[in-house]
């Protein structure tokens, strides 16, 4: 990343948030239209994370928009995105902050100090939960005042993916000792249940069209086989579960628009094609898919995945091994590749501005 000399910062500290007056440069040129925000992680320890914005209407891409506007780097490891009103919240986990910008021109509003933030679950306009890598906690943030209000203590480090359903937050604890999903009362912040899972180290939880939960678990690096568990949240019982092959490193699950088909990535870091690419399966399936829907090529793996709720097109991020700028490819619902465009280093998370 090109080095940029910074003007002195005027710091105004409000409790857990820090407001900055940045060295404002030019607003990035982004045409009106529906936007896909892309979190480029960067390389760990190098502080080169960045935000890209893709216009789905005209196919234009703007890269490094935060730094262009604010004259400073975004930070180290850009993990996830959440929109609240007219502001964009960006969890930058190795920099221990959530960066808040104006959604219109990307000018910096505030940095909220949160330890190793991972994912953000919006409860309402005044409450958002934030998971935390390495710490046994889920942070409570007010997205209006930009303050950290407190935290929910959990059993192990590494809180991870969350979802909201019928006044309950279902939260994952991506630790190898954890074999359950937390049920948390969204109003009181109390853990109301621990729901048993088929495997260890839950990482992501989603809600299907029938209001059932799907939990992806596993940590292949630590010898915890990936599993997928469908749960009835009313009875807190397992409906069905699936165990992946031991070598399959599964991540980044997401839904099609109808929430009746699940997509997820298999990642092979060793250059092979086994369990490497995009899978999809119906919620009525009785077994895991035996073949890839979109295959990664030899010496390639994917790192980001989403499905456009308007068009059913599939977006796949290729980090190119985190050694050069990545790209994003777009596929039709039948798996036909239609286009690709370059982004920055390590595209890892997508967020559509609805």
């Amino acid at each position: 990343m090109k080095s940029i000399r910074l003007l002195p910062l005027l710091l105004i500290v409000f409790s857990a948030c820090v407001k900055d007056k940045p060295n404002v440069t030019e607003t990035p040129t982004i045409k009106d239209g529906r936007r896909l925000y892309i979190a480029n992680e960067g390389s760990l320890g190098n502080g080169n994370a960045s935000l890209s914005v893709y216009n789905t209407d005209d196919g234009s891409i703007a890269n490094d928009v935060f730094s262009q506007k604010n004259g400073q780097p975004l930070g180290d490891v850009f993990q996830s995105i959440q929109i609240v009103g007219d502001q964009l919240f960006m969890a930058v986990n190795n920099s221990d902050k959530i960066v808040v910008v104006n959604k219109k021109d990307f000018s910096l509003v505030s940095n909220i100090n949160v330890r190793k933030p991972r994912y953000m679950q919006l409860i309402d306009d005044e409450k958002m939960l934030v998971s935390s890598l390495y710490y046994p906690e889920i942070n409570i943030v007010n997205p209006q005042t930009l303050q950290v209000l407190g935290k929910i203590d959990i059993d192990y480090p590494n809180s991870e993916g969350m979802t909201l359903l019928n006044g309950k937050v279902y939260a994952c604890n991506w630790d190898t000792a954890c074999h359950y999903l937390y049920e948390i009362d969204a109003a009181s912040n109390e853990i109301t249940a621990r729901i048993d899972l088929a495997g260890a180290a839950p990482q992501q939880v989603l809600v299907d069209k029938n209001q059932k939960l799907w939990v992806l678990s596993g940590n292949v690096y630590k010898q915890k086989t990936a599993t997928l568990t469908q749960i009835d949240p009313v009875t807190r019982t397992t409906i069905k579960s699936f165990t992946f092959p031991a070598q399959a490193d599964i991540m980044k699950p997401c839904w099609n628009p109808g929430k009746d088909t699940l997509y997820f990535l298999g990642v092979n870091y060793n250059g092979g094609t086994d369990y490497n690419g995009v899978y999809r399966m119906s919620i009525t399936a009785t077994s895991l898919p035996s073949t890839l829907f979109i295959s990664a090529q030899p010496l390639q793996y994917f790192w980001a995945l989403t499905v456009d709720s308007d068009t059913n097109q599939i977006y796949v991020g290729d980090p190119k091994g985190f050694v050069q700028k990545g790209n994003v490819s777009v596929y039709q619902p039948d798996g036909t590749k239609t286009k690709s465009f370059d982004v920055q280093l390590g595209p890892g998370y997508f967020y559509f501005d609805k």
Side-chain angles (χ1 to χ4, degrees):
M1 180 177 294
K2 185 178 179 181
S3 177
I4 301 174
R5 187 174 181 178
L6 302 182
L7 293 177
L9 299 180
L10 177 63
L11 302 181
I12 305 174
V13 181
F14 289 103
S15 184
C17 71
V18 179
K19 292 194 173 184
D20 303 318
K21 182 179 179 182
N23 177 21
V24 178
T25 58
E26 294 184 3
T27 299
T29 301
I30 301 172
K31 297 179 182 178
D32 291 337
R34 187 159 177 262
R35 294 175 174 181
L36 173 65
Y37 298 101
I38 302 162
N40 301 295
E41 292 184 11
S43 54
L44 178 64
N46 289 291
N48 54 357
S50 66
L51 173 67
S52 295
V53 183
Y54 176 70
N55 187 314
T56 64
D57 294 342
D58 67 8
S60 60
I61 178 72
N63 286 312
D64 211 18
V65 298
F66 175 85
S67 294
Q68 284 186 47
K69 176 61 181 177
N70 298 288
Q72 59 180 277
L74 178 59
D76 195 28
V77 186
F78 185 4
Q79 184 66 42
S80 64
I81 298 168
Q82 177 69 59
I83 289 177
V84 184
D86 61 358
Q87 293 181 334
L88 194 69
F89 290 69
M90 301 181 286
V92 188
N93 70 46
N94 206 42
S95 292
D96 297 303
K97 64 182 180 179
I98 297 172
V99 180
V100 186
V101 299
N102 184 295
K103 192 176 70 171
K104 183 177 180 180
D105 67 0
F106 305 102
S107 58
L108 179 62
V109 175
S110 178
N111 290 328
I112 307 173
N113 299 325
V114 176
R115 298 194 297 184
K116 300 296 181 288
R118 291 283 286 178
Y119 296 100
M120 296 167 282
Q121 176 60 54
L122 189 65
I123 307 302
D124 55 40
D125 288 344
E126 296 184 348
K127 188 174 185 179
M128 181 169 69
L129 300 187
V130 183
S131 59
S132 179
L133 185 67
Y134 304 138
Y135 297 98
E137 64 192 31
I138 297 171
N139 293 274
I140 306 167
V141 173
N142 186 322
Q144 300 302 318
T145 64
L146 308 178
Q147 293 179 322
V148 178
L149 303 180
K151 64 181 180 179
I152 301 168
D153 293 325
I154 59 174
D155 301 330
Y156 306 102
N158 303 322
S159 53
E160 193 73 347
M162 297 169 285
T163 195
L164 177 67
L165 176 64
N166 297 329
K168 301 289 187 181
V169 175
Y170 295 91
C172 296
N173 196 166
W174 193 41
D175 188 274
T176 56
C178 186
H179 294 77
Y180 45 77
L181 179 73
Y182 298 104
E183 177 192 273
I184 301 170
D185 185 275
S188 68
N189 304 320
E190 297 294 326
I191 296 175
T192 50
R194 290 169 174 79
I195 304 171
D196 291 336
L197 299 171
Q203 53 179 277
Q204 293 293 337
V205 54
L206 303 90
V207 181
D208 70 18
K209 71 171 188 176
N210 299 320
Q211 305 290 282
K212 301 299 188 289
L213 301 170
W214 290 75
V215 184
L216 178 62
S217 304
N219 187 329
V220 173
Y221 178 74
K222 294 187 177 181
Q223 290 77 53
K224 296 298 181 182
T225 301
T227 60
L228 185 63
T229 310
Q230 186 189 29
I231 293 171
D232 184 334
V234 176
T235 63
R236 300 167 175 163
T237 57
T238 296
I239 298 171
K240 56 185 175 182
S241 63
F242 307 90
T243 300
F244 291 87
Q247 306 92 332
D249 197 349
I250 307 299
M251 62 181 66
K252 307 292 176 75
C254 63
W255 293 118
N256 70 330
K259 294 187 177 182
D260 59 9
T261 302
L262 186 66
Y263 291 77
F264 48 85
L265 295 179
V267 179
N268 187 325
Y269 304 97
N270 299 318
T273 55
D274 292 342
Y275 314 114
N276 196 19
V278 179
Y279 290 92
R280 70 173 180 178
M281 66 179 288
S282 168
I283 61 173
T284 61
T286 57
S287 62
L288 292 170
S290 58
T291 59
L292 288 159
F293 176 60
I294 299 170
S295 297
Q297 299 303 306
L299 304 179
Q300 177 191 44
Y301 61 86
F302 301 140
W303 199 244
L305 177 67
T306 196
V307 181
D308 189 337
S309 60
D310 284 0
T311 66
N312 208 16
Q313 290 181 315
I314 303 141
Y315 287 72
V316 181
D318 180 355
K320 296 188 178 296
F322 291 87
V323 296
Q324 59 181 301
K325 291 181 179 180
N327 67 27
V328 174
S329 295
V330 185
Y331 298 83
Q332 293 294 350
D334 65 0
T336 302
K337 184 176 177 179
T338 60
K339 66 181 75 173
S340 65
F341 51 90
D342 292 335
V343 288
Q344 297 294 102
L345 187 64
Y349 188 89
F350 298 128
Y351 190 101
F352 276 104
D353 190 347
K354 308 299 184 183

